[in-house]
Amino acid sequence: VAAEAVFAAVTEEVGQLLSVELANMGRYESDGTVTVLASWGEAATGIRSSVDTPIMVEGRLWGVMSVGSARGLALPADTEARLASFTELVATAIANAESRAGLAQLVIEQAALRRVATLAARAAAPEEVFAAVTAEIGQLLPVGFSLMGRYEADETVTFVAVWGAAAASFPIGSRWSVGGNNIATLVFQTGSLARIDDYADGSSGPIAEVGRERGFDSLVGAPILVEGRVWGVMAVGSTAREPPLPAGTESRLAEFTDLLATAVANAESGAGLARLVEEQAALRRVATLVAGGAPEEDVFGAVVEEAGRLLEVDVANLGRYEPDGAITNLAAWSKEGTPASVVGSGLISETGVRSSVETPIIVEGHLWGVMGAGSKADRPLPSDAEARLASFTELVVTAIANAESRAALAASRARIVAAADESRRRIERDLHDGAQQRLVHAVIVIKLALRALASGETDGTELVAEALRHAEQANAELRELAHGILPAALIRGGLRAGVEAIVSRMSLPVRVDVSVERLPPGVEATAYFVVSEALTNAVKHARAASATVTAAVDGRELRVEVCDDGIGGAQSGERSGLEGLEDRVSALDGRLVIESPTGGGTRVCALLPVP
């Protein structure tokens, strides 16, 4: 039978057996109160004497049995012993009644957990699992309402499931600041059970203000521990129109949340795995475009669309920051197909965007642009939206860098080809206008000399001498032209001899410290042209009074450095010579560093790998 019927029968038997006017049975609660479970008799006042004895159930003080008499005479001396004997015998009945009630409750709880586990096992969406858990707890205890909240990194709590009277006050997806004296804050701060019995007077903070307006009376909260961390809070409560929460609510809620934490962890893990698969698939699609050499606009368009669909937002944008402080919108995507635009560093749509996130795009150490995403939903974007967008942009930065590198490489190659063509035209022009004309003239004069000598004319010797002069001049011009391509000193003696040949023709005092032996021809030639161009700039543009040339091999790298004391201000790209040097050095996978502060001289340093 029901426990209440057992308690009533026991109390009546005691009262009749001991011939008293009043008998009561009470249960001690954990909060220091006693709950009257059964009462027998008619005397509500005027009790003159009473006897009380403890009820011990399974070795613990469960409650108290009391009898009282309104008669003038004291209760018999053996009343305590008789009452104690009786309570010892009926304690087993009480324990059995409690055990049956506990067993029934356990069956109900196991059925609820089985329903939740079935949802998790079939990989249901986390939202569905959270809603089922919250409803099961609300109906199981029973209470007026139940809520499940997830703590975020910014010390807020997002309600992920709500059941009962609190649904209108704390809608799913609403985010609240943690602070004050309320269940969500107490669990967050302590990581343990929390209870507030008088919500009207004993609570504070943004969450509590809304709770008081809705008539919340008593609340209990338990932490949801997932993999050793406080993942969230499960809270149950009653309103002023409902009975207060029973004394054992905390322990029952804690037992349930301990068991369901695995389901929550599995739901989150499954969602995380599915999300990772989606992200990897999206990135793979973008990488395929990049690998296929797709135009930049196609890559950027794919990036924003993939990011928008992954984050389940309404709009997404990608913009590039310009040197003048403006931002150029390079790609935009909208779930509805309407245009979106970036203004400043914030993302907006034509209408309706309620919340947005933006993350910088860093390419090779500098701020290249921004990617943003916006939502029109009433609830804010998920707390991990920034991290997910940042993670996505970190991976696609490679695609942007590759696209820019390809463009820079194409431009460099075009400059190298143009420079080679110009060199060939210059050589052809110099040969045609110089040595070739000299040689043609020498051939003509030799033919005239042969004719004169054959006919016995006296000027044949003079014509031979003239032809010799033209041939010697042609030879000198060819030698000078060859120096402009690769000087003989460099070819025969290596970099040290080539540098000394350059310095010997300079009017500028130059100190030389070249401590290298022979190097691969390509490395020697590039180093030679770095020195030649840097010294030429020191004389022609920097108006330097002196310069220094050093070259040494450090490990597997040749370091060539030219410093002057001129006016500075030299920059790559301003003069074709320095730009050409960058192309030559880059062609060998080297680096060219130019430091030229105004008024502080110029330092040109080339770092060339030595095979």
Side-chain angles (χ1 to χ4, degrees):
V1 297
E4 292 80 6
V6 175
F7 299 156
V10 167
T11 306
E12 181 179 356
E13 293 289 351
V14 168
Q16 293 180 347
L17 181 68
L18 297 181
S19 300
V20 293
E21 285 76 32
L22 180 66
N24 286 300
M25 180 187 291
R27 182 183 63 223
Y28 291 124
E29 309 293 357
S30 59
D31 60 355
T33 61
V34 61
T35 300
V36 177
L37 302 177
S39 183
W40 176 87
E42 298 179 355
T45 59
I47 295 298
R48 303 287 296 274
S49 61
S50 67
V51 170
D52 301 77
T53 185
I55 301 174
M56 307 297 295
V57 177
E58 298 179 350
R60 61 185 173 89
L61 178 61
W62 183 91
V64 61
M65 179 71 74
S66 302
V67 294
S69 175
R71 296 188 294 270
L73 297 175
L75 288 169
D78 63 348
T79 301
E80 294 96 319
R82 294 180 66 191
L83 185 61
S85 297
F86 198 86
T87 55
E88 287 174 3
L89 293 173
V90 299
T92 302
I94 296 172
N96 289 342
E98 281 204 331
S99 297
R100 286 194 300 272
L103 179 60
Q105 185 64 36
L106 181 61
V107 169
I108 294 172
E109 290 180 358
Q110 291 299 320
L113 289 169
R114 188 163 55 248
R115 289 190 289 270
V116 172
T118 301
L119 278 177
R122 71 164 191 252
E127 296 78 9
E128 187 178 356
V129 176
F130 299 158
V133 169
T134 306
E136 293 286 359
I137 288 179
Q139 296 167 351
L140 183 67
L141 290 181
V143 292
F145 58 87
S146 56
L147 308 95
M148 180 188 289
R150 181 184 64 227
Y151 292 123
E152 312 293 0
D154 58 355
E155 295 194 356
T156 60
V157 59
T158 300
F159 289 108
V160 297
V162 185
W163 176 87
S169 306
F170 302 99
I172 294 174
S174 61
R175 191 186 300 184
W176 299 79
S177 297
V178 172
N181 184 42
N182 52 74
I183 292 298
T185 302
L186 293 175
V187 172
F188 176 77
Q189 292 175 343
T190 65
S192 58
L193 294 165
R195 181 180 184 120
I196 297 178
D197 282 317
D198 188 357
Y199 212 73
D201 296 329
S203 64
S204 61
I207 298 177
E209 292 177 7
V210 176
R212 285 196 299 270
E213 292 175 1
R214 296 293 179 177
F216 289 3
D217 184 30
S218 61
L219 282 91
V220 168
I224 301 174
L225 300 174
V226 178
E227 298 179 353
R229 62 185 175 88
V230 180
W231 178 91
V233 59
M234 178 65 72
V236 296
S238 64
T239 64
R241 298 186 299 272
E242 300 163 338
L245 295 179
T249 303
E250 297 97 311
S251 58
R252 294 184 64 193
L253 182 62
E255 291 173 2
F256 199 85
T257 54
D258 285 345
L259 293 172
L260 66 88
T262 301
V264 175
N266 290 342
E268 281 213 325
S269 298
L273 179 60
R275 186 174 67 191
L276 180 62
V277 170
E278 291 176 1
E279 289 181 356
Q280 292 300 317
L283 291 168
R284 188 163 55 248
R285 289 190 289 270
V286 173
T288 300
L289 280 177
V290 175
E296 277 190 356
E297 55 270 18
D298 292 348
V299 175
F300 296 155
V303 167
V304 296
E305 181 176 356
E306 295 288 0
R309 295 189 186 279
L310 275 174
L311 295 177
E312 297 180 349
V313 294
D314 296 288
V315 292
N317 282 78
L318 188 151
R320 181 183 63 222
Y321 291 123
E322 306 296 353
D324 60 358
I327 183 169
T328 300
N329 193 22
L330 300 178
W333 172 86
S334 170
K335 185 168 65 175
E336 299 175 353
T338 55
S341 59
V342 173
V343 175
S345 63
L347 178 138
I348 66 167
S349 176
E350 291 292 325
T351 57
V353 169
R354 303 286 297 273
S355 59
S356 67
V357 294
E358 292 92 39
T359 183
I361 300 174
I362 308 295
V363 178
E364 295 182 354
H366 72 276
L367 181 60
W368 184 92
V370 60
M371 180 177 287
S375 172
K376 298 179 182 179
D378 292 336
R379 61 179 182 272
L381 287 168
S383 61
D384 63 347
E386 297 95 322
R388 294 185 65 191
L389 188 62
S391 176
F392 195 85
T393 55
E394 286 173 5
L395 293 172
V396 300
V397 156
T398 303
I400 298 172
N402 287 345
E404 288 197 336
S405 297
R406 285 199 305 273
L409 180 60
S412 175
R413 287 174 174 173
R415 289 194 300 269
I416 291 173
V417 170
D421 290 342
E422 175 60 28
S423 296
R424 283 193 294 271
R425 286 192 292 269
R426 179 177 58 81
I427 293 171
E428 181 183 3
R429 184 173 59 252
D430 291 345
L431 285 172
H432 179 273
D433 296 341
Q436 184 179 357
Q437 293 295 328
R438 299 286 186 187
L439 292 173
V440 168
H441 194 72
V443 170
I444 293 174
V445 172
I446 289 173
K447 288 181 178 180
L448 292 175
L450 288 174
R451 188 181 303 165
L453 292 173
S455 61
E457 297 178 8
T458 59
D459 58 350
T461 302
E462 295 177 0
L463 291 172
V464 171
E466 182 181 352
L468 179 60
R469 286 196 306 274
H470 286 298
E472 290 175 343
Q473 290 176 351
N475 184 52
E477 291 176 0
L478 285 173
R479 187 184 303 111
E480 187 66 25
L481 185 60
H483 286 168
I485 301 173
L486 279 180
L490 177 67
I491 296 173
R492 291 194 303 267
L495 181 60
R496 184 187 297 109
V499 171
E500 289 174 351
I502 296 173
V503 171
S504 66
R505 299 194 299 269
M506 288 282 171
S507 59
L508 182 73
V510 180
R511 184 175 64 85
V512 177
D513 182 10
V514 178
S515 58
V516 296
E517 301 301 327
R518 296 308 302 261
L519 299 168
V523 176
E524 283 187 340
T526 299
Y528 172 84
F529 285 116
V530 168
V531 174
S532 177
E533 185 64 35
L535 290 178
T536 300
N537 285 338
V539 174
K540 289 185 175 181
H541 305 292
R543 300 197 293 274
S546 64
T548 301
V549 177
T550 59
V553 175
D554 183 7
R556 301 181 65 87
E557 188 176 65
L558 171 64
R559 182 185 186 91
V560 179
E561 189 169 288
V562 180
C563 300
D564 67 53
D565 58 0
I567 61 174
Q571 291 184 4
S572 175
E574 288 189 353
R575 301 181 176 93
S576 60
L578 291 178
E579 188 175 50
L581 286 184
E582 281 192 328
D583 293 338
R584 290 190 70 104
V585 171
S586 297
L588 295 180
D589 291 331
R591 293 182 295 127
L592 185 69
V593 179
I594 300 174
E595 297 176 359
S596 186
T598 302
T602 299
R603 172 179 170 267
V604 178
C605 179
L607 302 171
L608 302 170
V610 179

